[in-house]
Amino acid sequence: MLDHPLNSLGFAKPPSETRVVVAMSGGVDSSVVAAQLKEEGYDVVGVTLQLYDHGAALAKKGACCAGRDIHDARRVAETMGFPHYVLDYENTFREAVIEEFADAYLAGATPVPCIRCNERVKFKDLLATAKDLEADCMATGHYIQRMQGVTGPELHCAADANRDQSYFLFSTTPEQLDYLRFPLGHLASKAETRALASKYGLPVADKPDSQDICFVPNGNYAAVIEKLRPGAAEPGEIVDLEGRVLGTHRGVIHYTIGQRKGLGIGGLGDPVYVVRLDPDSRRVIVGPKEALSTRIVPVREVNWLGDTPFDSRAEWHVNVKVRSTRPPRPAVIRPISATEAEVELLNPEDGVSAGQACVFYAPEGSRILGGGWIWRGR
Protein backbone atom coordinates (compact mmCIF):
# COMPACT_ATOMS: atom_id res chain seq x y z
CA MET A 1 0.00 0.00 0.00
CA LEU A 2 1.40 3.36 -1.06
CA ASP A 3 1.89 6.10 1.49
CA HIS A 4 -0.66 8.87 1.34
CA PRO A 5 0.68 12.09 -0.29
CA LEU A 6 1.31 15.02 2.02
CA ASN A 7 -1.73 17.22 2.58
CA SER A 8 -1.54 21.04 2.59
CA LEU A 9 -0.51 21.05 6.26
CA GLY A 10 2.34 18.61 5.63
CA PHE A 11 0.85 15.37 6.97
CA ALA A 12 0.79 12.06 5.09
CA LYS A 13 -2.92 11.43 5.58
CA PRO A 14 -6.25 12.76 4.34
CA PRO A 15 -7.39 16.19 5.65
CA SER A 16 -10.42 14.50 7.26
CA GLU A 17 -8.05 12.53 9.50
CA THR A 18 -5.96 15.60 10.38
CA ARG A 19 -7.13 17.58 13.38
CA VAL A 20 -6.07 21.22 13.53
CA VAL A 21 -6.76 23.67 16.35
CA VAL A 22 -7.18 27.21 15.04
CA ALA A 23 -6.40 30.07 17.44
CA MET A 24 -9.32 32.41 16.73
CA SER A 25 -9.14 36.04 17.87
CA GLY A 26 -12.47 36.95 16.30
CA GLY A 27 -10.78 38.97 13.56
CA VAL A 28 -10.88 38.36 9.82
CA ASP A 29 -7.42 36.74 9.59
CA SER A 30 -7.88 33.79 11.96
CA SER A 31 -11.49 33.43 10.81
CA VAL A 32 -10.34 32.94 7.22
CA VAL A 33 -7.76 30.37 8.33
CA ALA A 34 -10.45 28.34 10.12
CA ALA A 35 -12.90 28.60 7.24
CA GLN A 36 -10.33 27.67 4.61
CA LEU A 37 -9.12 24.61 6.51
CA LYS A 38 -12.70 23.52 7.15
CA GLU A 39 -13.51 23.84 3.44
CA GLU A 40 -10.41 21.77 2.60
CA GLY A 41 -11.88 18.99 4.73
CA TYR A 42 -9.76 19.22 7.88
CA ASP A 43 -11.04 18.33 11.34
CA VAL A 44 -11.08 21.93 12.62
CA VAL A 45 -11.47 22.95 16.26
CA GLY A 46 -11.66 26.68 16.97
CA VAL A 47 -10.32 28.04 20.28
CA THR A 48 -10.61 31.63 21.50
CA LEU A 49 -8.86 32.90 24.60
CA GLN A 50 -10.53 35.29 27.01
CA LEU A 51 -7.43 37.14 28.10
CA TYR A 52 -8.67 39.91 30.33
CA ASP A 53 -11.78 41.39 31.94
CA HIS A 54 -13.50 42.56 28.80
CA GLY A 55 -16.45 44.26 30.50
CA ALA A 56 -15.10 47.73 29.79
CA ALA A 57 -14.22 46.84 26.21
CA LEU A 58 -17.44 45.26 25.01
CA ALA A 59 -18.17 48.20 22.74
CA LYS A 60 -14.53 48.79 21.80
CA LYS A 61 -13.77 48.07 18.16
CA GLY A 62 -10.35 46.80 17.24
CA ALA A 63 -9.42 45.30 20.62
CA CYS A 64 -8.34 41.66 20.32
CA CYS A 65 -10.10 39.05 22.42
CA ALA A 66 -12.67 41.43 23.90
CA GLY A 67 -16.28 40.30 24.36
CA ARG A 68 -17.32 41.27 20.85
CA ASP A 69 -14.45 39.29 19.37
CA ILE A 70 -15.40 36.14 21.26
CA HIS A 71 -18.92 36.51 19.89
CA ASP A 72 -17.59 37.00 16.35
CA ALA A 73 -15.37 33.92 16.56
CA ARG A 74 -18.34 31.85 17.71
CA ARG A 75 -20.45 33.11 14.79
CA VAL A 76 -17.74 32.12 12.30
CA ALA A 77 -17.60 28.61 13.80
CA GLU A 78 -21.39 28.31 13.53
CA THR A 79 -21.32 29.56 9.93
CA MET A 80 -18.67 27.00 8.90
CA GLY A 81 -19.91 24.17 11.13
CA PHE A 82 -17.00 23.31 13.40
CA PRO A 83 -16.73 23.20 17.22
CA HIS A 84 -15.56 26.29 19.07
CA TYR A 85 -14.35 26.71 22.63
CA VAL A 86 -13.64 29.77 24.77
CA LEU A 87 -10.90 29.31 27.37
CA ASP A 88 -10.51 31.62 30.36
CA TYR A 89 -6.84 32.62 30.46
CA GLU A 90 -7.31 35.86 32.40
CA ASN A 91 -5.10 34.88 35.34
CA THR A 92 -2.39 33.47 33.10
CA PHE A 93 -2.44 36.55 30.87
CA ARG A 94 -2.28 38.93 33.81
CA GLU A 95 0.66 37.12 35.41
CA ALA A 96 2.61 36.42 32.22
CA VAL A 97 1.97 39.62 30.26
CA ILE A 98 0.19 42.50 32.01
CA GLU A 99 2.22 42.51 35.24
CA GLU A 100 5.51 42.53 33.33
CA PHE A 101 4.19 45.27 31.04
CA ALA A 102 3.49 47.48 34.08
CA ASP A 103 6.83 46.72 35.74
CA ALA A 104 8.76 47.39 32.51
CA TYR A 105 7.13 50.77 32.03
CA LEU A 106 7.85 51.69 35.65
CA ALA A 107 11.50 50.76 35.03
CA GLY A 108 11.68 53.19 32.10
CA ALA A 109 11.49 50.55 29.34
CA THR A 110 9.14 50.39 26.36
CA PRO A 111 7.73 46.84 26.41
CA VAL A 112 6.07 44.90 23.57
CA PRO A 113 3.38 42.82 25.31
CA CYS A 114 2.12 41.25 22.06
CA ILE A 115 5.41 39.33 21.76
CA ARG A 116 5.17 38.11 25.36
CA CYS A 117 1.57 37.03 24.74
CA ASN A 118 2.61 34.92 21.75
CA GLU A 119 5.58 33.53 23.67
CA ARG A 120 4.01 32.84 27.05
CA VAL A 121 0.32 32.29 26.34
CA LYS A 122 -0.63 31.52 22.73
CA PHE A 123 2.41 29.47 21.74
CA LYS A 124 2.82 27.90 25.16
CA ASP A 125 -0.42 27.28 27.07
CA LEU A 126 -2.74 27.32 24.06
CA LEU A 127 -0.36 25.11 22.11
CA ALA A 128 -0.36 22.65 25.03
CA THR A 129 -4.17 22.72 24.99
CA ALA A 130 -4.12 21.93 21.28
CA LYS A 131 -1.98 18.87 22.00
CA ASP A 132 -4.39 17.87 24.78
CA LEU A 133 -7.14 17.97 22.16
CA GLU A 134 -5.03 15.50 20.14
CA ALA A 135 -4.57 17.98 17.31
CA ASP A 136 -1.89 17.29 14.73
CA CYS A 137 -1.01 20.99 14.61
CA MET A 138 -2.16 24.49 15.55
CA ALA A 139 -2.86 27.17 12.95
CA THR A 140 -3.00 30.94 13.43
CA GLY A 141 -3.83 33.97 11.32
CA HIS A 142 -0.37 35.52 11.61
CA TYR A 143 1.28 36.88 8.48
CA ILE A 144 4.49 34.88 8.50
CA GLN A 145 5.71 31.81 6.62
CA ARG A 146 6.90 28.42 7.80
CA MET A 147 9.12 26.65 5.28
CA GLN A 148 10.82 23.29 5.42
CA GLY A 149 14.60 23.68 5.50
CA VAL A 150 17.55 21.32 5.49
CA THR A 151 17.57 20.91 9.28
CA GLY A 152 13.82 21.34 9.89
CA PRO A 153 11.11 24.00 9.72
CA GLU A 154 12.30 27.58 9.19
CA LEU A 155 10.57 30.88 9.93
CA HIS A 156 10.31 33.29 6.98
CA CYS A 157 8.84 36.74 6.46
CA ALA A 158 5.36 37.05 4.97
CA ALA A 159 5.03 37.51 1.23
CA ASP A 160 3.32 40.86 1.90
CA ALA A 161 5.97 43.06 3.55
CA ASN A 162 3.26 45.48 4.72
CA ARG A 163 1.58 42.74 6.78
CA ASP A 164 4.68 40.86 7.93
CA GLN A 165 4.54 40.01 11.65
CA SER A 166 8.01 38.51 12.05
CA TYR A 167 9.01 41.14 14.64
CA PHE A 168 6.29 39.85 16.96
CA LEU A 169 7.10 36.17 16.45
CA PHE A 170 10.89 36.07 16.79
CA SER A 171 10.69 34.12 20.07
CA THR A 172 8.93 31.16 18.46
CA THR A 173 11.09 28.15 19.33
CA PRO A 174 12.05 25.35 16.90
CA GLU A 175 9.82 22.95 18.86
CA GLN A 176 6.84 25.31 18.58
CA LEU A 177 7.55 25.93 14.91
CA ASP A 178 7.39 22.21 14.28
CA TYR A 179 3.77 22.21 15.51
CA LEU A 180 2.55 25.57 14.15
CA ARG A 181 1.09 26.45 10.75
CA PHE A 182 0.54 29.91 9.22
CA PRO A 183 -1.77 29.54 6.20
CA LEU A 184 -1.93 33.28 5.34
CA GLY A 185 1.81 33.95 5.12
CA HIS A 186 1.99 33.42 1.36
CA LEU A 187 -0.83 35.83 0.44
CA ALA A 188 0.17 38.92 -1.53
CA SER A 189 -2.11 41.35 0.32
CA LYS A 190 -4.77 41.76 3.02
CA ALA A 191 -7.25 42.30 0.18
CA GLU A 192 -6.86 38.60 -0.68
CA THR A 193 -7.74 37.67 2.91
CA ARG A 194 -10.88 39.81 2.87
CA ALA A 195 -11.84 38.35 -0.53
CA LEU A 196 -11.62 34.86 0.98
CA ALA A 197 -13.75 35.98 3.94
CA SER A 198 -16.41 37.19 1.51
CA LYS A 199 -16.16 33.97 -0.50
CA TYR A 200 -16.87 31.92 2.65
CA GLY A 201 -19.68 34.27 3.68
CA LEU A 202 -18.04 35.07 7.01
CA PRO A 203 -19.76 37.67 9.21
CA VAL A 204 -16.39 39.34 9.92
CA ALA A 205 -15.43 39.95 6.26
CA ASP A 206 -15.53 43.74 6.69
CA LYS A 207 -14.42 43.90 10.34
CA PRO A 208 -11.69 46.53 10.94
CA ASP A 209 -8.19 45.38 11.86
CA SER A 210 -7.18 45.61 15.52
CA GLN A 211 -4.87 48.54 16.28
CA ASP A 212 -4.36 48.77 20.03
CA ILE A 213 -2.81 46.45 22.58
CA CYS A 214 -5.86 44.47 23.69
CA PHE A 215 -5.77 45.51 27.35
CA VAL A 216 -4.96 49.18 26.62
CA PRO A 217 -8.21 50.86 25.51
CA ASN A 218 -7.63 53.98 23.39
CA GLY A 219 -3.87 53.43 23.46
CA ASN A 220 -3.53 55.17 26.84
CA TYR A 221 -0.68 53.18 28.40
CA ALA A 222 -0.18 55.54 31.32
CA ALA A 223 -3.80 55.18 32.48
CA VAL A 224 -3.40 51.38 32.55
CA ILE A 225 -0.14 51.61 34.52
CA GLU A 226 -1.70 53.96 37.05
CA LYS A 227 -4.59 51.55 37.51
CA LEU A 228 -2.25 48.59 37.97
CA ARG A 229 0.29 50.47 40.08
CA PRO A 230 -1.48 53.27 42.01
CA GLY A 231 0.83 56.19 42.69
CA ALA A 232 3.17 55.24 39.85
CA ALA A 233 2.85 58.57 38.05
CA GLU A 234 4.91 60.66 40.45
CA PRO A 235 6.08 64.01 39.07
CA GLY A 236 9.76 64.83 38.67
CA GLU A 237 12.30 66.91 36.81
CA ILE A 238 13.06 67.23 33.13
CA VAL A 239 16.80 67.79 32.78
CA ASP A 240 19.30 68.18 29.96
CA LEU A 241 22.37 66.00 29.43
CA GLU A 242 24.37 68.12 31.88
CA GLY A 243 21.71 67.74 34.57
CA ARG A 244 20.31 71.26 34.32
CA VAL A 245 16.63 71.39 35.25
CA LEU A 246 14.48 72.54 32.33
CA GLY A 247 11.04 71.85 33.73
CA THR A 248 8.84 69.32 35.48
CA HIS A 249 6.94 66.28 34.29
CA ARG A 250 3.86 64.44 35.56
CA GLY A 251 5.40 60.97 35.73
CA VAL A 252 8.09 59.03 33.85
CA ILE A 253 5.45 56.59 32.59
CA HIS A 254 4.07 59.32 30.30
CA TYR A 255 7.28 59.47 28.24
CA THR A 256 9.08 57.27 25.72
CA ILE A 257 12.57 57.34 24.20
CA GLY A 258 12.65 59.57 21.13
CA GLN A 259 9.58 61.60 22.13
CA ARG A 260 9.69 65.23 21.03
CA LYS A 261 6.16 66.59 21.43
CA GLY A 262 4.34 67.18 24.68
CA LEU A 263 7.42 67.90 26.80
CA GLY A 264 6.19 71.33 27.88
CA ILE A 265 9.63 72.95 27.77
CA GLY A 266 9.46 75.29 24.79
CA GLY A 267 11.68 78.29 24.16
CA LEU A 268 14.97 76.35 24.02
CA GLY A 269 15.78 77.28 20.43
CA ASP A 270 16.70 73.84 19.05
CA PRO A 271 14.26 70.95 19.44
CA VAL A 272 14.97 68.39 22.17
CA TYR A 273 14.03 64.74 22.48
CA VAL A 274 13.69 62.26 25.33
CA VAL A 275 17.01 60.41 25.28
CA ARG A 276 16.84 58.55 28.59
CA LEU A 277 14.43 57.80 31.43
CA ASP A 278 15.64 57.45 35.01
CA PRO A 279 12.74 56.15 37.10
CA ASP A 280 14.89 55.87 40.26
CA SER A 281 15.48 59.62 40.36
CA ARG A 282 12.15 60.30 38.59
CA ARG A 283 14.02 62.23 35.90
CA VAL A 284 13.34 62.57 32.17
CA ILE A 285 16.60 63.36 30.38
CA VAL A 286 16.35 65.29 27.11
CA GLY A 287 18.88 66.28 24.49
CA PRO A 288 19.46 66.99 20.78
CA LYS A 289 18.48 64.44 18.13
CA GLU A 290 22.08 63.25 17.74
CA ALA A 291 22.06 62.13 21.39
CA LEU A 292 19.51 59.47 20.40
CA SER A 293 21.96 57.79 18.05
CA THR A 294 22.87 54.25 19.15
CA ARG A 295 25.38 51.82 17.67
CA ILE A 296 25.83 49.15 20.37
CA VAL A 297 22.71 47.29 21.50
CA PRO A 298 22.90 44.72 24.34
CA VAL A 299 20.38 41.88 24.02
CA ARG A 300 19.41 38.94 26.23
CA GLU A 301 16.88 36.09 26.26
CA VAL A 302 18.08 35.33 22.73
CA ASN A 303 15.98 32.83 20.78
CA TRP A 304 18.13 31.47 17.96
CA LEU A 305 16.61 29.83 14.88
CA GLY A 306 19.78 29.29 12.88
CA ASP A 307 21.05 25.88 11.75
CA THR A 308 24.10 25.85 14.05
CA PRO A 309 24.35 26.92 17.71
CA PHE A 310 24.24 30.66 18.38
CA ASP A 311 27.49 30.69 20.34
CA SER A 312 29.34 28.47 17.85
CA ARG A 313 30.69 31.61 16.14
CA ALA A 314 32.35 34.78 17.41
CA GLU A 315 30.29 36.89 15.01
CA TRP A 316 27.14 36.67 12.93
CA HIS A 317 26.69 39.14 10.08
CA VAL A 318 22.96 39.65 9.75
CA ASN A 319 20.25 42.30 9.38
CA VAL A 320 18.31 43.41 12.45
CA LYS A 321 15.15 45.32 13.34
CA VAL A 322 15.16 47.32 16.58
CA ARG A 323 11.55 48.51 16.17
CA SER A 324 8.61 46.86 14.45
CA THR A 325 8.08 49.80 12.08
CA ARG A 326 11.64 49.95 10.76
CA PRO A 327 13.22 47.91 7.96
CA PRO A 328 16.03 45.45 8.78
CA ARG A 329 19.47 47.07 8.80
CA PRO A 330 22.97 45.50 8.60
CA ALA A 331 24.53 44.53 11.93
CA VAL A 332 27.09 42.26 13.57
CA ILE A 333 25.99 40.03 16.46
CA ARG A 334 28.66 38.98 18.94
CA PRO A 335 27.38 36.19 21.22
CA ILE A 336 28.34 36.41 24.89
CA SER A 337 26.54 33.15 25.70
CA ALA A 338 23.81 31.00 24.17
CA THR A 339 21.20 33.59 25.22
CA GLU A 340 23.06 36.91 25.44
CA ALA A 341 24.85 39.07 22.89
CA GLU A 342 26.08 42.48 21.84
CA VAL A 343 24.68 43.78 18.58
CA GLU A 344 26.64 46.40 16.65
CA LEU A 345 24.57 48.39 14.17
CA LEU A 346 26.68 49.24 11.13
CA ASN A 347 24.65 52.43 10.79
CA PRO A 348 23.57 53.98 14.13
CA GLU A 349 19.83 54.23 14.77
CA ASP A 350 17.79 56.71 16.79
CA GLY A 351 15.44 55.85 19.62
CA VAL A 352 16.66 52.34 20.48
CA SER A 353 14.83 51.54 23.71
CA ALA A 354 15.16 48.93 26.44
CA GLY A 355 12.15 46.63 26.43
CA GLN A 356 11.90 46.48 22.64
CA ALA A 357 12.93 43.45 20.61
CA CYS A 358 15.97 43.18 18.36
CA VAL A 359 15.04 40.69 15.65
CA PHE A 360 17.64 38.92 13.48
CA TYR A 361 17.21 38.32 9.73
CA ALA A 362 19.38 36.49 7.22
CA PRO A 363 21.32 39.03 5.10
CA GLU A 364 19.81 37.50 1.96
CA GLY A 365 16.39 35.98 1.46
CA SER A 366 13.43 36.06 3.86
CA ARG A 367 14.54 33.86 6.75
CA ILE A 368 14.20 34.99 10.38
CA LEU A 369 17.12 33.86 12.54
CA GLY A 370 15.56 34.73 15.90
CA GLY A 371 16.15 37.71 18.14
CA GLY A 372 16.49 38.96 21.68
CA TRP A 373 15.27 41.62 24.12
CA ILE A 374 17.06 44.96 24.27
CA TRP A 375 18.24 45.97 27.72
CA ARG A 376 20.51 48.63 29.16
CA GLY A 377 23.48 46.35 29.65
CA ARG A 378 25.77 46.06 32.61
Side-chain angles (χ1 to χ4, degrees):
M1 181 178 176
L2 294 175
D3 289 338
H4 196 281
L6 295 181
N7 59 36
S8 63
L9 294 178
F11 297 100
K13 54 184 176 180
S16 60
E17 296 175 16
T18 306
R19 176 169 293 174
V20 51
V21 162
V22 179
M24 299 182 69
S25 68
V28 64
D29 298 325
S30 56
S31 296
V32 165
V33 167
Q36 187 171 43
L37 293 174
K38 176 64 177 178
E39 189 190 59
E40 290 178 18
Y42 287 98
D43 177 11
V44 172
V45 178
V47 175
T48 301
L49 302 183
Q50 181 175 314
L51 295 178
Y52 69 106
D53 180 2
H54 60 266
L58 285 172
K60 171 88 171 71
K61 288 186 176 179
C64 166
C65 304
R68 179 75 203 176
D69 297 314
I70 292 172
H71 173 70
D72 287 343
R74 185 177 290 122
R75 286 173 65 209
V76 168
E78 290 172 354
T79 299
M80 296 303 298
F82 59 80
H84 174 256
Y85 301 98
V86 179
L87 303 181
D88 183 354
Y89 274 46
E90 284 191 27
N91 289 339
T92 300
F93 185 66
R94 185 181 182 96
E95 293 168 7
V97 180
I98 298 180
E99 296 293 341
E100 183 189 79
F101 172 83
D103 291 340
Y105 252 101
L106 290 178
T110 308
V112 192
C114 298
I115 299 176
R116 289 301 197 194
C117 182
N118 289 328
E119 174 187 312
R120 296 177 174 177
V121 181
K122 293 178 182 174
F123 290 177
K124 183 184 176 189
D125 293 339
L126 178 55
L127 193 144
T129 297
K131 290 183 176 180
D132 288 343
L133 291 170
E134 299 182 344
D136 294 282
C137 63
M138 185 173 91
T140 78
H142 289 106
Y143 286 87
I144 197 162
Q145 297 189 80
R146 174 189 183 276
M147 299 183 183
Q148 200 63 34
V150 176
T151 63
E154 299 174 352
L155 204 59
H156 287 255
C157 295
D160 179 4
N162 293 320
R163 305 297 305 180
D164 177 62
Q165 291 176 288
S166 58
Y167 185 85
F168 300 98
L169 295 167
F170 82 86
S171 61
T172 306
T173 66
E175 294 76 24
Q176 291 167 344
L177 191 55
D178 190 55
Y179 193 69
L180 289 164
R181 301 293 187 275
F182 309 106
L184 301 184
H186 68 286
L187 298 184
S189 71
K190 181 62 177 266
E192 287 190 35
T193 307
R194 292 200 180 276
L196 286 169
S198 297
K199 170 189 168 186
Y200 298 131
L202 302 184
V204 296
D206 298 318
K207 186 173 181 176
D209 290 340
S210 60
Q211 301 295 332
D212 298 330
I213 295 171
C214 65
F215 60 92
V216 186
N218 307 316
N220 189 345
Y221 302 150
V224 172
I225 305 303
E226 289 185 83
K227 185 176 179 181
L228 292 167
R229 302 286 188 272
E234 295 183 37
E237 297 172 336
I238 299 177
V239 302
D240 65 15
L241 294 173
E242 282 72 47
R244 290 188 292 263
V245 178
L246 304 177
T248 59
H249 64 77
R250 53 198 178 94
V252 171
I253 62 173
H254 293 280
Y255 300 86
T256 56
I257 304 297
Q259 180 177 335
R260 175 185 171 188
K261 296 181 179 179
L263 300 180
I265 49 170
L268 297 177
D270 295 325
V272 295
Y273 301 78
V274 176
V275 297
R276 198 165 71 252
L277 299 170
D278 188 344
D280 292 335
S281 64
R282 299 204 308 275
R283 279 186 158 188
V284 173
I285 298 94
V286 299
K289 187 173 176 61
E290 53 266 26
L292 283 169
S293 185
T294 301
R295 182 182 290 275
I296 302 299
V297 181
V299 296
R300 58 187 176 184
E301 292 183 65
V302 169
N303 180 58
W304 180 246
L305 295 173
D307 295 332
T308 55
F310 181 57
D311 52 0
S312 63
R313 286 193 202 173
E315 292 186 348
W316 295 92
H317 291 257
V318 299
N319 292 334
V320 303
K321 268 190 187 187
V322 292
R323 279 189 184 269
S324 63
T325 53
R326 297 182 183 177
R329 305 276 174 80
V332 178
I333 306 172
R334 298 185 179 92
I336 297 169
S337 70
T339 59
E340 198 171 337
E342 180 181 87
V343 177
E344 180 182 356
L345 306 174
L346 299 193
N347 298 297
E349 292 216 36
D350 294 343
V352 177
S353 176
Q356 296 280 301
C358 179
V359 181
F360 313 150
Y361 298 83
E364 295 180 356
S366 59
R367 189 174 179 186
I368 299 131
L369 295 173
W373 292 94
I374 300 170
W375 66 303
R376 289 186 177 82
R378 295 177 175 82

